[in-house]
Amino acid sequence: MSTPAADPLAVLGSLPGVAESVDSVRQAVDRVYGHRVMRRRSDEVASEAALRGARASAALSGADWPLEEVRRRSDFSATTSTDGSALQVGAALRLTAEAGQLLGVWRQSPVQALARLHLVAAGGAVPDEMVGRPRLVGEKVDEPLVGLAELSLPEPGEVMARLDGLAGLLLAGSEAPALVVGAVVHGELLALRPFGSFNGAVARAAQRIVLVGSGLDPKSICPAEVGHAELGRAGYLKALEGYVSGTPEGMAGWIAHCGEALGLGVRESVAVCEALQRGAA
């Protein structure tokens, strides 16, 4: 069994309120997986969860499109919107699809998987030399949502050290619940903003990989992004500020926020199951 010193992620699981968040999420996930529709139509539920999760992730990045508009569109190039929102929606859709293909890479090299996620998100949207690699000294970061929180931007050297540290923790394994691990991955990537663009979308996709790979949500039917969008950008940023503070209260608050978002994502998929059962979807 890992000792606390060797498993710092497990220590976070013992913070006040975290165990309750973990239990609540586990019960909610079990309920949706036990829904009778999941027995024969789980692929349809997963497809709808992916679409809704991608729409919500794009909304958090500032591209708040109606679900039916996302469903209808097939072209998300820069020329299809005047404000660049189509690029955000397209990136979120591609990331959601790619996340499920990267479980093996993530288990071997989380940093390589993150580079692949950024390539998928940013390819064709930013100069090729800035795609799929952490930012260098002097390179700007285009991340308007996180910028609203006025969080300090770590220097590239610190970014690489912390990414390596995060990867080391993930590769070493942890007894921490999946909610805790996913929240830390999500929060750390938002705090570091390792790439020049699309950091928020990449962070949310990375959390999805953790939740699927851990076995908590193996069919990827619980779109936490939906919950984050429902809780609002202001709440998202306030919780992130708590994570960045590094205090026990701040870390516990971020994990609880991620748990609440995941619970709301589960609720969304329960609604999808009910609609399929009624023949309305």
Side-chain angles (χ1 to χ4, degrees):
M1 181 177 294
S2 301
T3 64
D7 191 358
L9 294 176
V11 175
L12 297 178
S14 66
L15 291 174
V18 171
E20 289 81 358
S21 293
V22 169
D23 288 345
S24 177
V25 163
R26 178 75 268 176
Q27 292 174 23
V29 172
D30 286 348
R31 282 196 296 272
V32 70
Y33 271 86
H35 197 287
R36 61 185 302 174
V37 167
M38 288 293 296
R39 298 173 191 170
R40 295 187 178 182
R41 305 182 71 177
S42 62
D43 287 349
E44 293 174 69
V45 178
S47 294
E48 190 64 19
L51 183 70
R52 295 181 183 215
R55 190 218 71 82
S57 185
L60 288 165
S61 294
D64 193 0
W65 286 18
L67 179 62
E68 292 310 314
E69 178 68 10
V70 178
R71 196 190 305 277
R72 180 185 68 81
R73 285 283 192 102
S74 59
D75 183 0
F76 297 95
S77 61
T79 58
T80 63
S81 64
T82 58
D83 58 0
S85 60
L87 292 177
Q88 293 289 347
V89 176
L93 287 166
R94 293 191 301 274
L95 283 170
T96 300
E98 186 71 14
Q101 309 301 314
L102 287 178
L103 292 175
V105 178
W106 182 266
R107 293 187 180 107
Q108 297 296 319
S109 175
V111 174
Q112 183 180 343
L114 290 172
R116 173 62 187 173
L117 288 173
H118 189 253
L119 175 64
V120 168
V126 302
D128 290 347
E129 63 271 18
M130 299 182 68
V131 172
R133 63 155 177 81
R135 55 187 167 84
L136 304 177
V137 175
E139 291 182 344
K140 295 182 179 180
V141 174
D142 180 15
E143 202 65 48
L145 174 59
V146 179
L148 292 175
E150 299 182 353
L151 301 176
S152 61
L153 183 67
E155 292 295 325
E158 180 184 349
V159 169
M160 288 307 303
R162 287 173 62 175
L163 279 179
D164 287 343
L166 177 63
L169 289 176
L170 296 171
L171 293 174
S174 174
E175 295 178 5
L179 171 64
V180 173
V181 179
V184 169
V185 168
H186 186 173
E188 190 71 358
L189 292 174
L190 286 176
L192 294 178
R193 284 148 287 167
F195 305 106
S197 58
F198 295 99
N199 289 287
V202 167
R204 292 183 286 274
Q207 176 178 300
R208 179 180 284 266
I209 291 174
V210 171
L211 297 178
V212 172
S214 69
L216 176 64
D217 181 22
K219 295 182 181 293
S220 194
I221 62 168
C222 305
E225 305 92 336
V226 169
H228 281 298
E230 185 172 336
L231 291 170
R233 299 170 85 194
Y236 189 55
L237 292 177
K238 183 178 180 181
L240 176 61
E241 289 172 347
Y243 174 87
V244 173
S245 76
T247 65
E249 297 80 7
M251 297 293 288
W254 171 250
I255 295 168
H257 190 85
C258 288
E260 185 177 1
L262 184 54
L264 291 170
V266 170
R267 188 182 68 181
E268 186 84 356
S269 285
V270 170
V272 170
C273 288
E274 295 294 333
L276 288 170
Q277 187 167 279
R278 296 192 305 269

